[in-house]
Amino acid sequence: MTFEWLASGQTPQTCWVSTVENATGLPNVQYTRPARATEVAGGDLVMLSLQRALVAYSVPQRRVAWRFAWQPLAEVMADGDVYSYPIRQDGASPLALDEAAGLAYLGAGDRVLYALDLATGRPRWSWRSTQTFESVVAGGGRVFVSTEDYRQVGLDGASGQLAWQLQFRRLSSPQTGVFEDVMVRPDQNGGIWGINATTGKVLWLTYLPRRQAIVNFFDDMPYDPATGRVFISDDAGYLYALQLRTGVLAWEADVASRQSIQRVGHVAAARGRVIAVSSVNIVVEAAGVSARAFNASTGEVLWEQSGLGGSCGPGGMQALPQRDVVLMGLLAAWGGESAPIQYVATDDATGANLWSLPMGGRICSSPPQYLPGSDLLMFTTLSVDRTALELTFLPSVLGATCPQRPDAGAGPGALPTPPAPPLAPPAPPLPPQEHTGPDYCWRAQLSQLPLADPATDGERVYAQDNRGMAIAADVRTGAVAWKSAACGSDSIWPGSPLVWGGVVYMICATSRVLALNATTGRLLWRTRAICQEPTVKPGRTCTGYGSYGHPALSPGLGLVYFGGPDRSYYAFNSTTGEEVWNYYEGNGMVTYSSGVGLHEGLLYAMMNTNSEDAMKLLALNATDGTLVWSRPAGGGARDNGVLEFVNGTLAVGTSDGQLRLYSVGLDGGDVIWSMPVTNVPIYGVERDGDTLFFGDDGGWVRAVSISNTSVLWEVSTMDLPELEGVPIPFNEIEPRPVYSQGRLYVTCRAGLLVMDAATGAVLWAELSQRSLASPLVIERPEGAQAVIGQYLDKLVSISPNCNPTGRGENTLSFAASTAQLRVSLGLNGVSAKALRADTKAQAALAAAVDRVAVGSGVRVEVEAVSSSGGESSSSSSAGAVVVRLRVEVQGSSSRRVADVVAALEASVLEDRSASGGGGSKVHLSPMQSALVVSAGASGRQVLASARVRVLVVRAATF
């Protein structure tokens, strides 16, 4: 599709184009960001942050002034492979400038923050992080970094000395900002924090109305100094204006909620206006993106353009108040092999297009820059063949002349080019660490995004992430036995590993299938890349999602089976890796989400149509791959986890909310039982005898009786008191739940929920971070060990021996000496109606909370009593009463406020051992003990059977 209007208007003169980096400096680059322009060092200097270098380009000299390079953080792994750890998820190394100090602050890919002299590129100081940088911003003589371990750090800009640091519970958005001594830190679960940039004390916390994630990769947070407002967008497609000093929401606007990609593509602010561009799915929305300008004070729409083509990526827009224009990079057409782009200049007051500059098949790489010293505009793009980084310069005003070339005397020696620092050799493997914590309580470090289910052979736990790292950790201590980089690096969904007979089998994000020695991690064999040219089979097309199903293995046949991302099923010799057979259904079906299962000589698999609204259940001969039968049906089948065969049947959940039982065997494939349950997708089904357990896209967990075709119990996880204050807008449950010895282990956006399989009651929860793969459950005498892949880069083992983390650690201090906290106390065994009518019982509850708050100067009041499951279920084992209290910490230091928060949160964490199973001794938590004392002293019968379920603390005011 082509957008003719983009070619309208005048075309500005191009002054020159410089190639500043060739393919050797652009490994795996899609976008080169960020770019910054400054007038230091005798004229316009443009800073370009690459994946492995920072390049400074001198505009007056039309050449690179200096180049600072680093070596990515690397580790030698099994087989001697050198693994380079990835940088931020979008491939950018954050960059901030302090022009007054003459410094550039670079969060480099080697996890070092460098302060570089803008004139020479020489380091002034450096600060090392243990994790990747999410953002780097500077202001007021300080530089502020957020890292992937949820830390926010303030450093002195001149020396690098630590000024303050805070530990948060959720990952920062890559886009942060600092304005007028206030640092604004959105997190990826919907909260926005205002922090005093000098002291590090929290000024305010605001949750956006929809509690959506905030994951913005724009280079700069928009700010309007005239109104004192910052502008932030969420993953629901809304734009929000917040008061910088207070965090109060001034207005909101719907930019992209009705589009298939509910995300704001770009936001910029200038001259009392805010301009927002939507995102677009070019397959679904042929009309293209839209742009709107809003009044920064009121949110009133000033002008709107629609049908603009496609967004140009992170380099798509820049507001230039110096010239009263907005520059937008847009795709002018799509549907062919290339997507030509144009830059369009739009009047920021009226929305009228002033001019456009066609750029052919290049890729927008960084936001356009205005260069005040030379009065030029600069566009940064990747070349058509993707091998070079190009800078295009043109006058900022139509009809203006280009500057003259520099004098011949200003040659290569005119500007100093410091030598790049010596590249350190790859780091040796990390030495084994002595285990000091309780048994079966540990964390192991992965690279990024552990999206595959872990596996075990009883001695080690095996996992892989979607950045090409596989790991084996001791099942008791978590000590890393080995790491492997045999997969190679990629970013699509990997399959779950299978371990058998001392060998680990897996399909990688690179679409290679491989086998590793389970003891050493050494590569035994590796196939071709199924979906990487030139090894794709002729006529096949590949999907972009990898292969996140589960494999199967036949020891008798010596074959291991996988569903491949090229719409095929494969059998490989488990000893040699030789391809034995391949079944191909055609390009109209996809197999990437299909686990395979082996039963009585047949291999079973589920395929989806490309639109995922229909499926096929296949039975293949496990020996030669010939089709035994194929059964099409409505409703797509998402990843159903490990396929389980019970009494000659296979349970399947569908994308249209149905449960089905299929017969298996040579004459199988018939639907022998079905039940519509919901109208949203069911991703995975777990079975125990007559009961099916499953979660769905709406956040419900259900148990269904097959024989009675009825729901035994259902729980809306969003209504659970355990999720009070967890900033997630919805809790879709994609991984298959795991049943073990009367318990159901459910991983979801909120984290891990462990439920009573008979009632749905939550026994305990680990909500410090989301988990996007099914858990591994290992039963032990003292209670079950659960191993989960935890966002963003951890493999975590939890057992009843562990000191529970609950919702994660924090080390926040507050700017005010008096704070109001909101406490939500979840109780079982209480009637909400009776408690609501009994003010003395409410007073006893408040006294119990006051008792655990530690010390004097705390005032507690009950504000409301409600039931999370409706009045009829308030006293059932699965239901809960939620009591909301206001806790005021008076006349105290900020440290005192933090101590009260910590005491309240810790007051319920010790209660997990009460549900440890195996006859473990029951220990009352401090909150439960305080409730028993208060209930006894007050003599209130309504609290006689009250059981503390959860306690959540949230800040109200600071």
Side-chain angles (χ1 to χ4, degrees):
M1 182 172 185
T2 303
F3 295 84
E4 299 293 343
W5 74 267
L6 287 178
S8 64
Q10 302 180 61
T11 299
Q13 174 189 8
T14 296
C15 296
W16 76 91
V17 177
S18 286
T19 299
V20 298
E21 201 79 2
N22 59 25
T24 59
L26 300 168
N28 302 317
V29 163
Q30 287 297 319
Y31 303 110
T32 304
R33 300 176 29 249
R36 305 284 188 217
T38 176
E39 290 187 86
V40 303
D44 286 324
L45 194 68
V46 178
M47 316 297 295
L48 302 165
S49 179
L50 311 184
Q51 287 193 347
R52 298 190 180 185
L54 180 66
V55 173
Y57 178 87
S58 170
V59 177
Q61 299 296 323
R62 301 191 186 185
R63 65 173 181 85
V64 172
W66 52 262
R67 186 178 189 272
F68 179 82
W70 65 88
Q71 186 178 24
L73 185 66
E75 184 177 350
V76 178
M77 300 194 174
D79 294 305
D81 294 323
V82 177
Y83 181 84
S84 295
Y85 282 82
I87 53 179
R88 200 172 72 177
Q89 290 184 66
D90 64 336
S93 294
L95 173 69
L97 303 186
D98 185 339
E99 296 183 80
L103 290 175
Y105 303 105
L106 175 70
D110 58 359
R111 301 184 182 177
V112 176
L113 178 72
Y114 294 99
L116 304 174
D117 188 289
L118 279 170
T120 66
R122 298 186 184 279
R124 296 258 193 98
W125 55 261
S126 62
W127 178 83
R128 180 170 292 278
S129 169
T130 59
Q131 297 290 318
T132 299
F133 296 105
E134 281 295 310
S135 75
V136 177
V137 292
R142 295 259 167 97
V143 57
F144 309 93
V145 300
S146 56
T147 56
E148 284 189 355
D149 55 357
Y150 317 152
R151 281 194 303 163
Q152 190 69 57
V153 179
L155 303 170
D156 180 79
S159 65
Q161 294 296 310
L162 180 67
W164 52 262
Q165 67 175 324
L166 303 175
Q167 180 68 53
F168 287 83
R169 290 176 172 161
R170 290 294 186 267
L171 189 66
S172 166
S173 170
Q175 183 196 60
T176 59
V178 59
F179 317 98
E180 301 178 23
D181 203 38
V182 178
M183 200 221 154
V184 182
R185 182 193 189 273
D187 66 37
Q188 293 195 19
N189 284 78
I192 305 172
W193 301 79
I195 303 166
N196 184 297
T198 301
T199 66
K201 295 187 182 299
V202 175
L203 299 171
W204 49 263
L205 167 62
T206 296
Y207 284 112
L208 297 180
R210 290 158 189 85
R211 294 289 181 90
Q212 277 280 6
I214 304 170
V215 191
N216 292 326
F217 290 108
F218 322 140
D219 290 339
D220 297 298
M221 178 177 287
Y223 173 63
D224 179 39
T227 58
R229 290 174 182 170
V230 293
F231 304 94
I232 296 169
S233 61
D234 65 12
D235 279 7
Y238 283 79
L239 175 67
Y240 302 91
L242 279 75
Q243 289 296 141
L244 175 66
R245 295 293 179 187
T246 63
V248 172
L249 179 62
W251 55 263
E252 64 177 67
D254 183 354
V255 176
S257 74
R258 291 181 292 275
Q259 296 194 228
S260 60
I261 298 179
Q262 296 178 325
R263 177 173 289 184
V264 179
H266 309 282
V267 181
R271 300 201 311 143
R273 302 178 183 91
V274 186
I275 299 91
V277 176
S278 63
S279 295
V280 65
N281 182 333
I282 62 177
V283 176
V284 176
E285 284 138 351
V289 302
S290 61
R292 293 177 193 165
F294 301 90
N295 183 300
S297 297
T298 65
E300 174 192 3
V301 176
L302 302 176
W303 54 261
E304 181 175 0
Q305 291 189 18
S306 59
L308 297 182
S311 175
C312 203
M317 186 171 70
Q318 187 79 284
L320 304 179
Q322 303 91 336
R323 287 291 174 258
D324 304 338
V325 300
V326 177
L327 291 176
M328 292 185 286
L330 301 168
L331 300 180
W334 56 66
E337 294 184 0
S338 64
I341 65 171
Q342 292 196 38
Y343 281 99
V344 179
T346 300
D347 186 299
D348 64 6
T350 66
N353 294 324
L354 304 176
W355 52 260
S356 63
L357 178 66
M359 299 286 285
R362 295 176 174 87
I363 290 181
C364 309
S365 181
S366 293
Q369 300 291 315
Y370 174 67
L371 311 173
S374 52
D375 198 20
L376 294 174
L377 301 178
M378 184 195 78
F379 300 134
T380 309
T381 57
L382 295 183
S383 61
V384 174
D385 61 4
R386 312 299 186 254
T387 63
L389 184 65
E390 298 176 343
L391 308 182
T392 301
F393 297 87
L394 59 151
S396 67
V397 178
L398 279 173
T401 59
C402 294
Q404 295 181 349
R405 288 183 175 275
D407 294 337
L415 290 175
T417 303
L423 297 179
L430 298 175
Q433 296 183 351
E434 183 179 353
H435 179 63
T436 58
D439 285 350
Y440 311 112
C441 304
W442 48 261
R443 290 172 177 262
Q445 182 75 46
L446 290 164
S447 174
Q448 255 183 25
L449 299 176
L451 302 179
D453 301 352
T456 187
D457 56 6
E459 184 176 353
R460 287 172 291 271
V461 175
Y462 306 91
Q464 72 162 324
D465 60 27
N466 79 331
R467 292 296 189 268
M469 177 188 288
I471 188 174
D474 183 272
V475 71
R476 181 178 67 86
T477 67
V480 175
W482 51 259
K483 295 180 182 178
S484 171
C487 275
S489 179
D490 210 328
S491 59
I492 56 177
W493 215 299
S496 298
L498 182 154
V499 56
W500 179 270
V503 180
V504 181
Y505 302 93
M506 62 181 66
I507 185 167
C508 309
T510 55
S511 73
R512 292 180 181 271
V513 176
L514 53 79
L516 305 174
N517 182 294
T519 302
T520 66
R522 294 283 185 179
L523 178 66
L524 301 176
W525 53 259
R526 178 170 50 199
T527 70
R528 65 180 174 88
I530 294 173
C531 271
Q532 290 184 358
E533 295 293 352
T535 57
V536 178
K537 286 180 179 290
R540 306 289 174 89
T541 61
C542 292
T543 64
Y545 298 99
S547 179
Y548 59 86
H550 287 253
L553 181 133
S554 171
L557 296 175
L559 299 178
V560 60
Y561 307 92
F562 292 87
D566 64 344
R567 311 168 195 270
S568 305
Y569 293 99
Y570 286 88
F572 298 97
N573 183 296
S574 60
T575 302
T576 66
E578 177 188 3
E579 182 180 320
V580 176
W581 58 256
N582 166 249
Y583 177 82
Y584 174 59
E585 181 74 13
N587 289 332
M589 305 295 289
V590 293
T591 59
Y592 61 84
S593 63
S594 174
V596 294
L598 197 63
H599 182 65
E600 296 182 349
L602 298 182
L603 185 76
Y604 296 87
M606 287 168 287
M607 309 182 80
N608 284 319
T609 58
N610 287 325
S611 58
E612 298 192 16
D613 57 0
M615 61 166 283
K616 281 186 180 179
L617 178 63
L618 304 178
L620 306 175
N621 184 300
T623 302
D624 59 17
T626 56
L627 179 66
V628 177
W629 48 257
S630 172
R631 300 289 187 266
R638 302 295 181 93
D639 179 25
N640 274 260
V642 177
L643 301 189
E644 297 179 317
F645 303 93
V646 179
N647 299 327
T649 62
L650 173 65
V652 175
T654 69
S655 61
D656 56 359
Q658 289 194 42
L659 294 175
R660 297 179 189 148
L661 285 186
Y662 283 92
S663 62
V664 297
L666 291 174
D667 298 319
D670 298 323
V671 177
I672 61 174
W673 177 92
S674 67
M675 179 179 175
V677 186
T678 179
N679 58 359
V680 296
I682 297 171
Y683 288 94
V685 180
E686 177 79 324
R687 183 172 181 178
D688 175 53
D690 184 59
T691 305
L692 300 178
F693 303 96
F694 59 96
D696 68 23
D697 222 14
W700 287 80
V701 182
R702 293 181 174 90
V704 164
S705 168
I706 299 171
S707 58
N708 294 327
T709 313
S710 62
V711 176
L712 299 175
W713 55 259
E714 57 185 5
V715 173
S716 171
T717 59
M718 286 300 292
D719 293 333
L720 290 171
E722 282 78 8
L723 267 66
E724 282 275 321
V726 177
I728 55 174
F730 51 89
N731 193 36
E732 62 186 2
I733 299 169
E734 295 185 1
R736 174 184 59 91
V738 173
Y739 171 87
S740 182
Q741 295 192 7
R743 294 184 180 176
L744 195 66
Y745 297 80
V746 181
T747 46
C748 51
R749 279 181 174 263
L752 171 67
L753 299 170
V754 182
M755 311 174 79
D756 187 318
T759 66
V762 174
L763 302 175
W764 56 269
E766 210 293 334
L767 305 177
S768 61
Q769 196 45 266
R770 57 180 162 167
S771 183
L772 302 179
S774 293
L776 168 68
V777 179
I778 308 169
E779 292 293 345
R780 304 194 178 282
E782 64 273 25
Q785 175 187 9
V787 183
I788 58 176
Q790 198 173 69
Y791 190 86
L792 183 67
D793 56 6
K794 299 291 190 300
L795 186 67
V796 179
S797 173
I798 309 163
S799 80
N801 299 328
C802 304
N803 297 319
T805 58
R807 293 159 179 266
E809 302 293 333
N810 72 17
T811 56
L812 306 182
S813 58
F814 309 104
S817 60
T818 300
Q820 285 192 13
L821 307 173
R822 291 289 189 269
V823 173
S824 297
L825 183 64
L827 302 173
N828 282 345
V830 182
S831 164
K833 184 176 180 180
L835 182 57
R836 198 179 294 119
D838 193 334
T839 57
K840 290 185 177 179
Q842 294 178 29
L845 276 175
V849 173
D850 180 77
R851 187 184 298 272
V852 300
V854 183
S856 59
V858 177
R859 180 184 176 188
V860 183
E861 294 182 357
V862 174
E863 292 188 316
V865 177
S866 62
S867 173
S868 67
E871 297 297 330
S872 62
S873 63
S874 61
S875 60
S876 71
S877 57
V881 171
V882 179
V883 182
R884 292 179 172 83
L885 306 100
R886 181 176 66 251
V887 178
E888 187 173 294
V889 186
Q890 301 171 329
S892 305
S893 67
S894 61
R895 184 68 262 165
R896 167 69 176 139
V897 175
D899 288 343
V900 170
V901 172
L904 289 170
E905 291 178 334
S907 71
V908 293
L909 292 181
E910 297 177 10
D911 202 32
R912 181 186 296 173
S913 58
S915 58
S920 59
K921 184 178 178 180
V922 173
H923 300 279
L924 297 181
S925 68
M927 187 68 246
Q928 184 67 45
S929 299
L931 179 58
V932 169
V933 171
S934 293
S938 67
R940 311 313 294 174
Q941 274 301 116
V942 68
L943 297 176
S945 300
R947 179 73 176 168
V948 175
R949 178 166 169 172
V950 67
L951 184 147
V952 178
V953 184
R954 286 183 290 172
T957 59
F958 300 108

